[in-house]
């Protein structure tokens, strides 16, 4: 079987990556491309592009993938089970491959909020593991000269729809057994949850890279949206106390959120995380500041973090 086209994606770790969502207007598209250009100078290992519920942003996602990849960045578009037949999934995959994508993020997907008649049982696939299996079958039948790199989601603090954590980990293992290559986690603010999740994955025999999803708080309104969209996410008391001290001052809230995320990233790096994935919300300011707080200057030399002798070289 051919090696993944992005086999080198995790050849050196940690990786750094960003996530964007398709813009809805020409102005949004221009703003996104400006953000991409700002973050591009940090040489991310890849960027991902989200996909609306029920495929509502399918064409936008493909267009964004084409435009970002034209700029020389490895792009990982999302694909979901929601609202699609096998034929539609195959067409989406074909479009991504024709756009130059060599990796995808395979997700079950959230039901569309504006469609009360939606019935998941009508979808070709109800679970991400089934989607992963279909992608592997599709690329084999398509006789692609490369093997797509497939990412799947992981939930350090548990999936909001599952109370059975053991069963939930079995579902994750099923995705990996069907041919997924790496795991990218839901956002979290408690690193202990991530480390425990990583340990449980290893106990199950999952040796694939596990990338930590980080989203800095920049506004109180944004925090409440996170709490709503990422049901089950824990907001540690230490973080909430710091935000209370800000007294609602917007600039202070953003500074606290960025500093907290910076501390998270530093600890993750110290504990040999495989990668950090920034949920950017199509903005660059917070992510750029985190990079500066971590001491990353325009690029990240992954060899340097593991080599104490580099410090002596810098002093000489």
């Amino acid at each position: 079987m051919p090696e993944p086209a992005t086999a080198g994606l995790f050849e050196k770790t940690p990786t750094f990556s960003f996530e964007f969502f398709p813009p809805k207007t020409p102005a949004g598209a221009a703003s996104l491309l400006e953000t991409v250009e700002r973050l591009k100078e940090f040489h991310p290992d890849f960027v991902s592009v989200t996909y609306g519920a029920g495929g509502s942003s399918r064409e936008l996602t493909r267009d964004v993938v084409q435009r970002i990849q034209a700029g020389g960045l490895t792009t990982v578009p999302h694909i979901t089970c929601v609202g699609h037949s096998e034929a539609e999934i195959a067409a989406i995959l074909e479009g991504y491959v024709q756009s130059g994508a060599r990796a995808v993020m395979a997700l079950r997907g959230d039901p569309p909020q504006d469609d009360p008649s939606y019935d998941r049982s009508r979808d070709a696939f109800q679970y991400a593991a089934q989607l992963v299996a279909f992608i592997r079958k599709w690329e084999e039948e398509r006789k692609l000269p490369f093997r797509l790199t497939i990412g799947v989601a992981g939930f350090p603090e548990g999936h909001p729809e599952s109370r059975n954590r053991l069963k939930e980990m079995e579902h994750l293992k099923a995705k990996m057994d069907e041919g997924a290559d790496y795991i990218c986690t839901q956002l979290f603010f408690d690193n202990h949850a991530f480390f425990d999740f990583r340990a449980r994955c290893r106990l199950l025999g999952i040796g694939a890279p596990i990338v930590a999803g980080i989203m800095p708080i920049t506004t109180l309104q944004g925090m409440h949206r996170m709490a709503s969209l990422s049901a089950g996410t824990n907001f540690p008391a230490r973080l909430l106390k710091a935000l209370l001290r800000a007294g609602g001052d917007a600039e202070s809230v953003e500074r606290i959120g960025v500093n907290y995320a910076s501390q998270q990233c530093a600890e993750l790096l110290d504990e040999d995380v495989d990668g950090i994935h920034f949920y950017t919300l199509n903005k660059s300011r917070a992510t750029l500041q985190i990079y500066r707080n971590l001491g990353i200057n325009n690029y990240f030399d992954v060899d340097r973090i593991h080599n104490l002798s580099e410090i002596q070289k810098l002093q000489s």
Side-chain angles (χ1 to χ4, degrees), residues 111-258:
Q113 296 180 349
D114 57 353
D115 184 5
S117 65
Y118 168 72
D119 182 356
R120 190 180 288 278
S121 67
R122 296 176 188 160
D123 296 341
F125 311 114
Q126 277 75 53
Y127 302 102
Q130 297 170 319
L131 178 58
V132 173
F134 177 80
I135 295 171
R136 290 296 178 220
K137 178 184 175 184
W138 175 82
E139 67 182 5
E140 184 177 345
E141 292 175 348
R142 182 72 169 66
K143 292 183 168 52
L144 295 178
F146 51 83
R147 181 176 176 272
L148 288 167
T149 297
I150 301 177
V152 293
F155 299 85
E157 296 173 315
H159 194 286
E161 295 181 17
S162 174
R163 294 184 179 182
N164 188 330
R165 297 295 179 244
L166 293 177
K167 185 64 69 174
E168 177 188 320
M169 292 302 292
E170 289 178 14
H171 291 321
L172 177 60
K173 182 66 161 56
K175 290 189 278 189
M176 308 313 295
D177 289 345
E178 292 293 355
D181 296 296
Y182 73 95
I183 299 165
C184 186
T185 77
Q186 174 66 277
L187 65 93
F188 61 91
F189 296 96
D190 184 352
N191 282 357
H192 295 295
F194 174 83
F195 296 138
D196 181 76
F197 171 75
R198 183 173 66 177
R200 284 183 284 131
C201 285
R202 300 311 185 219
L203 286 171
L204 275 177
I206 299 174
I210 303 174
V211 178
I214 297 295
M215 182 187 286
I217 292 172
T218 55
T219 66
L220 293 178
Q221 294 87 346
M223 183 183 75
H224 287 289
R225 282 197 300 271
M226 289 182 206
S228 176
L229 294 173
S230 304
T233 297
N234 176 42
F235 294 84
R238 178 167 62 93
L239 172 60
L240 296 177
K241 286 179 180 179
L243 291 171
L244 281 171
R245 286 196 294 270
D249 178 72
E251 185 176 334
S252 297
V253 167
E254 181 175 2
R255 185 165 57 248
I256 288 166
V258 167

Side-chain angles (χ1 to χ4, degrees), residues 13-14 16 265-266 268-273 300-308 310-311:
T13 57
F16 285 85
C265 291
L268 290 166
L269 291 171
D270 288 344
E271 295 297 326
D272 295 323
V273 68
F300 190 79
D301 184 347
V302 295
D303 290 327
R304 183 179 298 172
I305 194 173
H306 300 302
N307 194 342
L308 186 61
E310 289 293 330
I311 296 177

Side-chain angles (χ1 to χ4, degrees), residues 8 11 32 82 105 111 128 169 178 207 217 242-244 266 276 288:
E11 185 176 347
L32 170 58
V82 173
M105 187 75 181
M169 292 302 292
E178 292 293 355
I217 292 172
L243 291 171
L244 281 171
I276 296 177
L288 287 171

